[in-house]
């Protein structure tokens, strides 16, 4: 496994004296890395790059359980044509280039080596793939003369990383995980990865976190999701799985949507999906719902997401207005029907024969845990909802009122003063409402 030479991140300094000082400082800082950190490794195939042509790679830490590997694909949206890619470059260049990648990165939740932060996989070998290809991890366009001079090699990057990991000792069991665009990328890649690693007797499974997007109509004259996927598929030279493409020969870009792709996935897959996914709502034109009409749209999206998950064998779907969970500390607190997300994952892995029985306390969880209530944030473990204008937490009573609930009537039915009802915290109010949802 090749690592970058010491001091290489100082290559843009103006003379050799400045470069030497920078290299020394980098060496000193690198020797004092935080214990829960991942180290940057550059990809051995140097022809594969980020959008801007800068080198790509991954962050790695070897764990004590040498036979268990967690490979995490980051998310971060995508671009699909000249205008959107140039806008992305102006606003979020860190998602298109590696020029400012640090030599070490603090591990996100499911890649932490701390048992308290990561009770499931703290001892595993951890690999984080930073997202810099803007193509849902599906592109094969290496020519830099493409739109704006950008290349899109997400699919090839994943393949290159797996090849490097094999040389680094990849063996035993591989857990392929991704969030948002990375969650979609996991679904696009997992069968191919399983086939590629079969001869090495490496078992593969996958977890898709918030990558289950729907091609629902947009409002306010927005470009429909399916049209964006069609443009992106062409720009990236995307390569969805052949089994799905054969089903949608004339519209292969439909294979970027979870409910259309899922029937063609043969590898064990755990789907985590918030029922009121904020990224899905943003794509439909609802970013900060305030009016009753907007909340009705939120409700309809929730119904559509719940329905689309009907055929999924293993799914965990809280009724939250949020996006992405596994890289955030709150993943430990999320629960559906009293069953936490870590426990549900541990049960699923145990059923696959890939986890010790001692990992699961209190018995195993059902395969399907989908929230039954039909309004957002009805789950008391949801991440707090905040007003985007002020940053302050939105009171549950205010949320319910915006959603069309008669707060005064509800307060009277429970024998509570309406003013006191409105001032109650989520923790106080939810137990009172729970029997009625």
């Amino acid at each position: 496994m090749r690592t970058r030479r010491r001091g290489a991140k100082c290559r843009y300094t103006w003379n050799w004296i400045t470069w030497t000082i920078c290299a020394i400082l980098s060496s000193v800082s690198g020797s004092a890395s935080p214990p829960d950190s991942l180290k940057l490794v550059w990809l051995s195939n140097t022809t594969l790059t980020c959008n801007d042509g800068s080198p790509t790679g991954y962050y790695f830490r070897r764990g004590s359980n040498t036979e268990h590997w967690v490979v995490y694909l980051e998310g971060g949206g995508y671009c699909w044509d000249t205008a959107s890619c140039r806008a992305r470059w102006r606003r979020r260049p860190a998602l298109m280039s590696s020029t400012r990648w640090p030599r070490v990165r603090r591990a996100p939740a499911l890649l932490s080596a701390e048992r308290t932060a990561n009770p499931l996989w703290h001892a595993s070998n951890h690999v984080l793939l930073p997202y810099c290809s803007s193509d849902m991890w599906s592109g094969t366009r290496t020519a830099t003369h493409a739109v704006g001079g950008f290349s899109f090699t997400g699919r090839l990057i994943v393949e290159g990383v797996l090849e490097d990991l094999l040389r680094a000792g990849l063996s035993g069991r591989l857990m392929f995980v991704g969030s948002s665009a990375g969650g979609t990328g996991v679904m696009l890649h997992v069968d191919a990865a399983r086939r590629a690693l079969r001869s090495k007797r490496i078992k593969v499974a996958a977890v898709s976190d918030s990558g289950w997007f729907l091609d629902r109509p947009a409002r306010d004259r927005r470009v429909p999701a399916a049209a964006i996927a069609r443009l992106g598929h062409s720009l990236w030279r995307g390569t969805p799985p052949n089994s799905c493409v054969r089903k949608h020969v004339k519209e292969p870009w439909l294979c970027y949507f979870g409910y259309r792709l899922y029937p063609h996935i043969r590898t064990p897959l755990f789907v985590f999906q918030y029922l009121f996914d904020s990224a899905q709502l943003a794509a439909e034109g609802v970013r900060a719902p305030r009016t009753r009409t907007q909340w009705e749209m939120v409700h309809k999206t929730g119904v559509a997401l719940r329905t689309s998950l009907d055929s999924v064998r293993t799914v965990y779907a809280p009724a939250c207005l949020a996006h992405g969970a596994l890289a955030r500390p709150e993943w430990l607190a999320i629960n559906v029907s009293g069953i936490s997300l870590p426990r549900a994952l541990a049960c699923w892995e145990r059923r696959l024969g890939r986890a010790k029985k001692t990992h699961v306390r209190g018995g195993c969880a059902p395969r399907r845990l989908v929230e039954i209530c039909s309004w957002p944030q009805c789950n008391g473990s949801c991440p707090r909802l905040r007003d985007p204008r002020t940053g302050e937490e939105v009171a549950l009573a205010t949320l319910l009122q915006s959603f069309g609930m008669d707060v005064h009537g509800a307060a009277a039915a429970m024998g509570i003063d309406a003013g006191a009802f409105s001032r109650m915290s989520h923790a106080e109010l939810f137990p009172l409402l729970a029997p009625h949802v």
Side-chain angles (χ1 to χ4, degrees):
M1 184 169 60
R2 192 181 75 175
T3 58
R4 201 180 197 187
R5 66 186 183 277
R6 181 171 293 178
K9 74 172 185 176
C10 304
R11 63 186 181 278
Y12 295 117
T13 52
W14 65 276
N15 62 34
W16 71 271
I17 296 176
T18 313
W19 185 93
T20 302
I21 293 172
C22 180
I24 292 172
L25 292 175
S26 297
S27 175
V28 171
S29 62
S31 64
S33 301
D36 192 21
S37 61
L38 306 170
K39 294 184 178 180
L40 177 60
V41 180
W42 297 102
L43 202 61
S44 61
N45 185 347
T46 57
T47 66
L48 304 179
T49 69
C50 297
N51 291 131
D52 68 341
S54 58
T56 189
Y58 56 95
Y59 288 85
F60 176 69
R61 179 183 51 239
R62 194 175 296 278
S64 58
N65 185 354
T66 58
E67 294 295 299
H68 193 276
W69 296 67
V70 181
V71 175
Y72 176 68
L73 274 61
E74 281 192 320
Y78 48 88
C79 63
W80 57 90
D81 60 12
T82 301
S84 63
C85 289
R86 287 177 177 170
R88 184 176 175 87
W89 178 250
R90 289 193 305 271
R91 298 169 186 168
R92 307 185 73 184
L95 289 175
M96 305 181 78
S97 175
S98 67
T99 54
R100 295 188 180 182
W101 284 2
R103 294 183 63 179
V104 296
R105 275 188 58 176
R106 185 77 178 181
L110 82 163
L111 296 183
S112 174
E114 302 292 336
R115 184 186 294 269
T116 55
N118 184 13
L120 291 182
W121 301 319
H122 60 276
S124 303
N125 300 291
H126 295 146
V127 183
L128 184 153
L129 275 63
Y131 185 44
C132 66
S133 56
S134 307
D135 58 3
M136 307 284 273
W137 295 100
S138 71
T140 61
R141 183 184 286 273
T142 57
T144 56
H145 60 73
V147 176
F150 297 127
S151 59
F152 302 87
T153 59
R155 180 178 185 85
L156 303 178
I157 289 170
V158 173
E159 294 172 354
V161 169
L162 290 179
E163 290 173 2
D164 280 9
L165 292 179
L166 282 172
R167 287 191 284 270
L170 174 61
S171 62
R173 298 159 290 178
L174 170 64
M175 189 62 63
F176 220 15
V177 187
S179 296
S180 191
T184 305
V186 161
M187 290 190 286
L188 293 170
H189 279 279
V190 64
D191 277 354
R194 176 179 53 82
R195 290 191 295 268
L197 299 174
R198 182 185 297 157
S199 64
K200 307 294 183 181
R201 297 186 178 181
I202 297 172
K203 303 296 183 181
V204 178
V207 180
S208 175
D209 167 20
S210 304
W212 191 270
F213 296 105
L214 305 181
D215 49 343
R216 282 169 53 78
R219 63 191 294 268
D220 296 337
R221 298 182 180 178
R222 289 174 180 266
V223 180
I228 289 175
R230 175 177 58 81
L231 293 170
H233 177 71
S234 175
L235 174 66
W236 312 326
R237 292 181 184 164
T239 53
N242 289 333
S243 55
C244 184
V245 171
R246 285 193 294 269
K247 172 70 174 179
H248 304 284
V249 175
K250 295 183 179 180
E251 300 174 299
W253 51 87
L254 294 180
C255 294
Y256 295 100
F257 299 99
Y259 76 105
R260 296 185 185 274
L261 175 59
Y262 178 80
H264 307 280
I265 297 174
R266 298 292 174 260
T267 306
L269 175 67
F270 183 107
V271 174
F272 174 91
Q273 184 61 49
Y274 287 123
L275 291 179
F276 302 95
D277 187 281
S278 55
Q280 175 70 41
L281 288 164
E284 295 177 20
V286 182
R287 290 187 177 273
R290 297 187 183 93
T291 67
R292 181 166 184 169
T293 299
Q294 290 173 327
W295 281 112
E296 287 175 351
M297 292 184 63
V298 171
H299 174 72
K300 290 178 181 178
T301 297
V303 171
L305 273 167
R306 182 185 288 107
T307 301
S308 74
L309 295 167
D310 282 347
S311 64
V312 180
R313 181 175 174 81
T314 306
V315 58
Y316 192 97
C320 303
L321 184 59
H323 181 68
L326 291 177
R328 303 176 187 272
E330 56 263 29
W331 83 293
L332 296 174
I334 296 170
N335 77 81
V336 174
S337 301
I339 297 171
S340 70
L341 177 55
R343 179 180 164 194
L345 282 165
C347 288
W348 169 69
E349 196 172 18
R350 175 176 166 179
R351 289 190 184 101
L352 299 177
R354 297 169 190 178
K356 297 179 181 179
K357 292 184 179 181
T358 53
H359 284 180
V360 184
R361 297 179 180 179
C364 250
R367 292 180 182 274
R368 290 179 49 82
L369 286 161
V370 180
E371 200 83 63
I372 60 173
C373 67
S374 60
W375 45 277
Q377 304 299 103
C378 65
N379 183 319
S381 69
C382 287
R384 299 282 75 86
L385 183 63
R386 298 188 179 278
D387 188 318
R389 298 167 299 178
T390 64
E392 296 180 354
E393 183 176 340
V394 177
L396 182 57
T398 302
L399 173 64
L400 294 173
Q401 193 168 17
S402 299
F403 199 51
M405 180 177 180
D406 180 2
V407 171
H408 289 276
M414 289 184 283
I416 301 172
D417 176 77
F421 183 95
S422 298
R423 290 190 297 271
M424 281 184 173
S425 68
H426 193 290
E428 293 170 323
L429 188 54
F430 182 75
L432 297 175
L433 294 171
H436 306 287
V437 298

